[in-house]
């Protein structure tokens, strides 16, 4: 008795089509010129807040990110 098993391999997106967290955060900031908080970026992009913070840090190091404080002087608002 022979048993045949059919193996299905799901199609994967090419590596160049998969967006990194950094790219997702950058796109959200480019769409919102007035700026966003870390939490807002996280909700809009679907990236965890910790990963958003890491992406923002990289952008600061590259000097493409600016920040201003909200009117309560507590929450930073990030923009390009």
């Amino acid at each position: 008795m022979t048993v045949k098993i059919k193996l299905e391999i799901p199609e994967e997106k090419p590596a160049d089509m998969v967006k990194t967290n950094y790219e997702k955060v950058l796109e959200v900031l480019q769409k919102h010129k007035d700026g966003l908080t870390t939490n807002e970026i996280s909700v809009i992009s679907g990236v965890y807040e910790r990963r958003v913070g890491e992406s923002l840090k990289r952008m600061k190091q590259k000097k493409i990110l600016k920040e201003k404080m909200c009117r309560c002087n507590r929450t930073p608002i990030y923009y390009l």
Side-chain angles (χ1 to χ4, degrees), residues 3-4 35 43-44 58 65 68 74 78:
V3 178
K4 292 185 179 181
V43 170
I44 294 169
R58 285 179 51 200
L65 184 72
K68 59 185 173 186
R74 183 172 178 184
Y78 301 102

Side-chain angles (χ1 to χ4, degrees), residues 11-61:
E11 293 182 29
E12 293 184 22
K13 292 182 181 179
D16 59 340
M17 292 188 70
V18 178
K19 291 183 183 175
T20 63
N21 291 335
Y22 179 86
E23 292 169 343
K24 291 177 185 177
V25 170
L26 185 61
E27 283 181 4
V28 169
L29 287 171
Q30 287 172 341
K31 290 179 184 175
H32 296 84
K33 300 291 182 187
D34 294 335
L36 297 167
T37 63
T38 306
N39 186 38
E40 292 170 335
I41 296 169
S42 176
V43 170
I44 294 169
S45 66
V47 177
Y48 291 117
E49 279 194 55
R50 181 179 183 125
R51 303 296 172 231
V52 169
E54 291 171 355
S55 298
L56 294 174
K57 188 174 182 178
R58 285 179 51 200
M59 289 179 201
K60 285 181 191 176
Q61 290 172 345

